[in-house]
Amino acid sequence: MKTIDTNRRNILKYAGLFASIPFVSQLVDKSTLLAAGANKFSTDLVLNGDVYTAAHWGAMKVSVKNGKIVKSVNAFDGMVYNPLQSVTADLVDGKYTNRIKAPMVRKSYLEKKKNNRELRGADEWVEVSYEQAIKLVADEVARVRKEKGANGIYGGSYGWKSSGNLHNARTLLHRYLTMGGGFVGGLGDYSAGAAQVIMPHVMGTLETYEQQTSWPLIMEHSKVVVIWGANPMDTLRIAWSSNDGVGLEYFTKLKNSGKKIIIIDPIKSNTVAFYGNKAEHIAPKPNTDVAMMLGIIHTMLSTGKYDKEFIETYTEGFDKFADYVMGKTADKTPKSAKWASNICGVSESKIKELADLFFANRTMLMTGYNMQRQHHGEQVHWMTVALASAIGQIGLPGGGFGISYHYANGGSPTTNAPVIGGITVGKASGGGQEWLNDGSSLSIPVARIADCLLNPGKTIDYNGRKITYPEIDLVYWVGGNPFVHHQDTNLLVKAWKKPSTIIVHDMYWTPTAKMGDIVFPITTPYERNDLTMSGDYSNLNINPMKQVVKRMPKSKHDYEVFADLAKVAGFEAQFTEGKSEMQWLEEFYNVAYNQAQKSGALMADGEPMPDFTTFWNANRPLTFAPTEEGLNFVRYGEFREDPILNPLGTPSGKIEIYSETIAKMGYKDCGAYPQWFEPIEWMGMKNKPAEFALVSPHPSLRLHSQLNNTSLRNQYAVADREPIWINPADAKAKGIKNGDIVRVFNKRGQILTGAVVSDIVPKGVIRVYEGAWYDPENPAKENTLCVNGNANVLTIDIPTSELADANIANTALANIEKYKGKAPKLKAFTPPKGAK
Ligand code: PGD
């Protein structure tokens, strides 16, 4: 009985929250949208009215007037405001939009000039017909396949593409390349590359992108909530599928919950600003959280205020780690609060106070991914687990640790929604697919791409095995922007000169498109039909992504380009399965619909899921309600209840504070238990190569580089550049004032930024958000100035360690000076020479 009652309560609550959308008949002229009649869906465009779609930044209602977008807002009333939802019109055509308007080829590439690779990024472009572009690509893919096999083609093509289960650029590329005979792929990602390799050794599961203890349980049970190295008020504006908005709702409610909220972050982030005096802000030096955690653990072990029983029952090898903490191993250094304080800059007394506070109260440690995007990034989440083990609350409601609350709404309770289908990679069309059985030998860690292009044949270590880099001769990139996301841009510029051919699909002349040889003009998500769910962990909604406006002339869907390439290669039927866009969508929808029919799952309003035609014509998202299990989900609850019956997926079945598996790998830069390693560059090092610690976290008004080309930029650009935050004392010492143009530089490169003098950054630290479009002043010159302020020109391209080979974007030092020359004009948002 209890289950029914609670479910009903949830249904009513969620129906209330998401019920603000009237049916389409009240919104648009029936004669347009419903012209096809009751039993047939319509794809006619709404010329005047509202259309529902979705993006990484959530479900949206887009208003159209005379066929043009005039407004876009959250699809649901009453949710926390998300500014990213407001600029849909700009993404189609705005002041900075910079669409690719036709298939284009780089001039000297087209002319087959011998030195043409040297001119990438500095050349003129020539418009070609779509048919000619398809032929060029098809011939080149066939040539490289013939000469070098699957090993010659890099299709790892990392990136955040757009939401949508059909127009999924990267999967479509993989489908085309797989069916054609294989390609070199990418292992892991830039987001959580270190955590997703270390955590399976420690917890037996990826941990990243997995559901967290539910928010209602946090609200009910946690006494202390620690937001550690995370900035959820900004990062929860987006999600991988589409944002359900629930995380922001809960972080907002948390503010006045009376709980002790602690934010540990070198910067007074927007999350610190949001909580104001309702939270305590503790600011360690960048890259030193592992040392701070060690100081807390040392205090707990020294005072005896730690959970011995938990450690005995649920963990493996804690004693060996404890020897390290207490200074009984070779380094003979106790990792005391004083030792930690000397490294991280947080006072000894505060470190000791935290140890007592965490142990005495139900404490949830919510960590972010930023801290593992650092040199030795594997250590931080392993150390978090060691700390949470000493506290002893893993598996209790509201206690333990969670590394995904800040990302894609971890903890948003899982609903009863059936899951829609999506386009898949498919199978090889015959021959050449053996490599698929050994993806390892033909996939490289994603963040090692520049190293791989520069050093074919080099063998690297990766998580206990060896990977030998292939010789890549063709790079095919869709749905990603490596000339913004990859570390040490100038090194990437060099690496990019290696392959014979680089093909890029994008909607815009991004820096990556400008560095290509052949580019295709792709439709925006607002110019095609698609479907997506929202809520990566909750599956809260099924969203129609209806075409909002007429597509730009000459633009193509990624799907169309790959289908045409498949046609030339002789496997069109296999690629398209003979289906149209809407037939694919109907099929994906029916995967969920059939599940719902079978299970009897109802929507949040108590109604059954409509059939596809009704759903599509109704033009509104469907909402589902959290289940009893979803609401009461405690991460590792079952393991805690019975570790024998419910062991973890680690070799010992327990939490591995000591990992024999990693010990056997014998890596110098990742040991058998979590440790403090001095990063390659940091504030506390001797002989610093540059003066300031550069942090480059995720931006508040973009998704990585996406939306840099919208009017949101007017809200943050300073002197028409990416802003740099500088502490007032540092600014004074350098003679820099608010609004000045600042050159930021180190041995890897130089960028121009606009000064924001503010104490949100401590002395000795500067912040430049990642994601500004790389804009080389003179692309023909080595190490030229990036005039728009791409932080990655300054970051370091080495791996976290031999274990994960992930990126270390957040470990870097740089210098600053007032820029005195005539400020070069921005070209980031204008087409290259030869393009309109
Ligand atoms: P986005 O800007 O999202 O960045 O790197 P990522 O490459 O994912 O790029 C997506 C691109 O895809 C855009 O150019 C967009 O226009 C294009 N696109 C969107 N939809 C479509 C489509 O349908 N078809 C095609 N063909 N193209 C499409 C992000 C990466 O950056 C990530 S995930 C992380 S976590 C890293 N974070 C940091 C960091 O914290 N600090 C630094 N310094 N650097 C980082 N880099 C990493």
Side-chain angles (χ1 to χ4, degrees):
M1 282 315 283
K2 186 173 164 260
T3 311
I4 295 166
D5 283 343
T6 327
N7 270 341
R8 181 150 176 73
R9 225 179 33 238
N10 299 332
I11 287 173
L12 294 176
K13 194 180 117 225
Y14 268 68
L17 186 57
F18 292 93
S20 52
I21 302 171
F23 269 92
V24 66
S25 51
Q26 292 165 261
L27 293 165
V28 295
D29 182 352
K30 274 190 193 176
S31 62
T32 54
L33 193 67
L34 300 180
N39 295 321
K40 203 168 167 295
F41 50 76
S42 169
T43 52
D44 290 351
L45 289 179
V46 174
L47 294 178
N48 290 289
D50 294 334
V51 183
Y52 285 84
T53 184
H56 292 301
W57 33 94
M60 294 182 291
K61 179 173 77 174
V62 182
S63 306
V64 179
K65 210 168 166 193
N66 299 327
K68 290 234 179 282
I69 299 172
V70 288
K71 194 175 168 194
S72 59
V73 295
N74 201 312
F76 302 101
D77 288 342
M79 306 289 286
V80 174
Y81 175 66
N82 184 346
L84 309 193
Q85 297 175 338
S86 67
V87 287
T88 312
D90 289 355
L91 286 170
V92 176
D93 190 15
K95 188 175 165 205
Y96 305 108
T97 310
N98 202 8
R99 293 286 298 267
I100 300 173
K101 299 219 172 76
M104 305 284 296
V105 182
R106 214 161 46 72
K107 192 162 181 277
S108 64
Y109 176 89
L110 193 62
E111 291 167 353
K112 297 193 165 62
K113 289 238 167 83
K114 250 198 155 163
N115 70 337
N116 89 74
R117 302 177 205 191
E118 292 298 315
L119 296 176
R120 283 193 180 116
D123 210 351
E124 255 180 71
W125 288 80
V126 179
E127 180 172 340
V128 295
S129 69
Y130 175 67
E131 292 68 29
Q132 194 182 350
I134 288 288
K135 183 166 177 355
L136 274 173
V137 173
D139 288 352
E140 188 56 3
V141 169
R143 177 193 71 79
V144 178
R145 254 193 212 305
K146 195 162 162 229
E147 288 174 13
K148 314 224 174 226
N151 277 5
I153 301 174
Y154 185 71
S157 182
Y158 180 81
W160 264 70
K161 56 171 184 74
S162 292
S163 303
N165 283 25
L166 172 61
H167 297 289
N168 180 336
R170 190 172 183 230
T171 305
L172 290 165
L173 169 67
H174 290 177
R175 185 175 175 88
Y176 162 65
L177 291 178
T178 301
M179 290 179 176
F183 64 99
V184 178
L187 287 167
D189 60 32
Y190 280 72
S191 298
Q196 63 205 198
V197 173
I198 188 69
M199 292 312 254
H201 292 291
V202 180
M203 300 302 298
T205 178
L206 266 191
E207 205 58 53
T208 44
Y209 318 135
E210 291 184 2
Q211 182 57 298
Q212 311 292 288
T213 294
S214 86
W215 262 111
L217 294 182
I218 299 285
M219 297 306 282
E220 196 178 333
H221 297 279
S222 304
K223 290 277 182 293
V224 178
V225 173
V226 186
I227 302 171
W228 199 323
N231 179 18
M233 297 316 285
D234 283 345
T235 56
L236 285 178
R237 286 176 171 166
I238 57 98
W240 179 247
S241 59
S242 177
N243 190 0
D244 68 17
V246 173
L248 276 181
E249 300 289 323
Y250 274 107
F251 274 108
T252 304
K253 276 190 207 151
L254 181 68
K255 184 172 180 178
N256 292 311
S257 64
K259 298 179 195 306
K260 171 84 181 161
I261 305 164
I262 299 174
I263 304 167
I264 303 178
D265 193 319
I267 311 286
K268 286 182 195 152
S269 66
N270 285 344
T271 299
V272 176
F274 171 78
Y275 284 105
N277 61 9
K278 296 283 167 56
E280 179 181 357
H281 176 219
I282 300 171
K285 289 179 185 153
N287 283 253
T288 65
D289 300 272
V290 167
M292 184 172 162
M293 289 176 187
L294 272 167
I296 300 173
I297 298 170
H298 183 276
T299 308
M300 297 177 84
L301 300 189
S302 311
T303 56
K305 287 190 205 159
Y306 68 101
D307 194 330
K308 297 172 200 78
E309 206 181 312
F310 182 89
I311 284 170
E312 203 131 293
T313 317
Y314 299 101
T315 70
E316 177 71 17
F318 194 93
D319 48 340
K320 296 188 186 97
F321 167 69
D323 284 348
Y324 163 74
V325 176
M326 303 314 286
K328 293 182 191 157
T329 47
D331 70 353
K332 299 260 182 290
T333 308
K335 314 301 174 304
S336 64
K338 188 164 179 222
W339 169 88
S341 174
N342 282 336
I343 294 172
C344 70
V346 175
S347 73
E348 192 183 337
S349 59
K350 181 54 73 183
I351 291 172
K352 287 183 172 165
E353 182 191 315
L354 291 178
D356 284 353
L357 182 79
F358 294 171
F359 184 62
N361 294 283
R362 184 63 59 87
T363 298
M364 176 55 84
L365 305 173
M366 297 180 171
T367 63
Y369 297 160
N370 177 300
M371 295 185 293
Q372 53 87 65
R373 247 174 264 128
Q374 294 177 357
H375 198 200
H376 307 292
E378 294 85 356
Q379 306 305 314
V380 76
H381 284 117
W382 202 356
M383 197 63 81
T384 304
V385 173
L387 172 57
S389 298
I391 300 170
Q393 297 171 7
I394 296 171
L396 291 180
F401 71 97
I403 74 173
S404 294
Y405 283 102
H406 71 293
Y407 172 76
N409 305 288
S412 169
T414 306
T415 68
N416 64 341
V419 177
I420 59 174
I423 196 78
T424 60
V425 166
K427 291 195 195 82
S429 65
Q433 62 171 302
E434 302 76 25
W435 71 275
L436 276 175
N437 302 325
D438 183 20
S440 57
S441 66
L442 267 163
S443 287
I444 58 160
V446 274
R448 303 315 304 136
I449 177 64
D451 198 37
C452 168
L453 291 173
L454 287 165
N455 303 294
K458 173 176 163 184
T459 298
I460 60 163
D461 282 289
Y462 171 75
N463 199 14
R465 56 191 168 90
K466 304 272 181 199
I467 294 177
T468 300
Y469 290 149
E471 190 175 342
I472 305 288
D473 199 31
L474 183 148
V475 170
Y476 207 137
W477 217 290
V478 300
N481 201 356
F483 275 86
V484 181
H485 77 225
H486 187 74
Q487 289 57 58
D488 196 347
T489 314
N490 286 316
L491 189 74
L492 188 64
V493 170
K494 284 195 193 104
W496 224 240
K497 297 203 159 110
K498 293 281 177 178
S500 299
T501 299
I502 295 169
I503 305 153
V504 179
H505 294 193
D506 209 303
M507 291 95 79
Y508 315 112
W509 277 112
T510 62
T512 303
K514 286 178 178 171
M515 293 294 287
D517 300 327
I518 305 169
V519 300
F520 283 96
I522 300 300
T523 48
T524 66
Y526 317 104
E527 298 166 313
R528 56 202 191 201
N529 293 298
D530 215 325
L531 283 176
T532 184
M533 298 200 69
S534 45
D536 294 25
Y537 309 101
S538 66
N539 291 334
L540 187 57
N541 307 105
I542 297 177
N543 300 291
M545 290 176 66
K546 294 173 87 94
Q547 184 173 345
V548 184
V549 288
K550 234 164 76 182
R551 65 154 96 171
M552 193 185 65
K554 298 190 190 172
S555 65
K556 294 279 173 190
H557 305 329
D558 295 288
Y559 181 89
E560 292 167 340
V561 177
F562 290 125
D564 287 332
L565 289 171
K567 187 173 178 182
V568 181
F571 53 89
E572 183 195 16
Q574 193 188 344
F575 186 90
T576 65
E577 298 178 19
K579 289 172 205 144
S580 67
E581 182 185 58
M582 290 310 292
Q583 282 169 330
W584 277 114
L585 298 186
E586 185 166 15
E587 182 183 300
F588 298 161
Y589 183 87
N590 282 340
V591 171
Y593 180 73
N594 293 336
Q595 280 171 43
Q597 292 283 304
K598 248 197 211 153
S599 68
L602 299 177
M603 299 191 295
D605 60 5
E607 293 293 319
M609 198 176 155
D611 63 26
F612 181 70
T613 305
T614 313
F615 161 74
W616 194 258
N617 287 342
N619 180 30
R620 66 167 198 171
L622 307 179
T623 299
F624 293 81
T627 59
E628 181 76 357
E629 294 81 28
L631 288 163
N632 291 311
F633 177 72
V634 178
R635 191 155 183 80
Y636 299 115
E638 288 179 351
F639 167 64
R640 184 169 188 120
E641 224 168 78
D642 193 332
I644 308 289
L645 270 183
N646 308 307
L648 299 183
T650 54
S652 62
K654 294 184 177 183
I655 298 170
E656 300 221 339
I657 304 300
Y658 181 96
S659 164
E660 194 60 46
T661 315
I662 297 179
K664 282 190 186 140
M665 293 177 193
Y667 296 152
K668 274 199 222 70
D669 49 9
C670 184
Y673 45 79
Q675 290 164 57
W676 160 252
F677 288 93
E678 198 176 331
I680 185 163
E681 289 186 10
W682 71 295
M683 286 172 89
M685 74 192 286
K686 285 192 197 117
N687 305 321
K688 284 197 291 185
E691 202 176 341
F692 295 93
L694 167 71
V695 293
S696 55
H698 291 180
S700 59
L701 289 172
R702 285 195 295 262
L703 165 60
H704 304 302
S705 77
Q706 294 186 54
L707 308 177
N708 196 205
N709 57 336
T710 68
S711 53
L712 286 172
R713 189 169 181 276
N714 299 334
Q715 293 183 36
Y716 57 81
V718 175
D720 208 16
R721 326 276 142 176
E722 189 64 16
I724 181 170
W725 280 262
I726 308 171
N727 182 273
D730 295 330
K732 195 170 168 211
K734 300 282 171 193
I736 293 170
K737 291 197 209 60
N738 251 327
D740 280 349
I741 295 184
V742 177
R743 188 174 82 100
V744 196
F745 59 100
N746 58 23
K747 62 182 175 200
R748 293 172 288 276
Q750 44 171 341
I751 64 174
L752 290 188
T753 52
V756 181
V757 178
S758 159
D759 69 358
I760 70 157
V761 287
K763 212 168 160 305
V765 178
I766 48 177
R767 178 178 74 178
V768 181
Y769 283 134
E770 58 106 19
W773 288 17
Y774 172 60
D775 191 2
E777 182 183 21
N778 179 357
K781 216 174 109 196
E782 258 189 34
N783 292 3
T784 187
L785 191 61
C786 167
V787 303
N788 187 37
N790 171 21
N792 276 321
V793 170
L794 305 165
T795 57
I796 309 171
D797 184 14
I798 61 165
T800 46
S801 82
E802 289 170 312
L803 188 85
D805 286 303
N807 77 79
I808 66 157
N810 284 296
T811 298
L813 295 176
N815 296 306
I816 55 172
E817 68 179 19
K818 184 171 163 162
Y819 185 72
K820 298 209 180 91
K822 188 166 176 277
K825 257 183 98 175
L826 229 59
K827 288 178 287 186
F829 309 109
T830 47
K833 233 194 309 176
K836 281 171 225 130

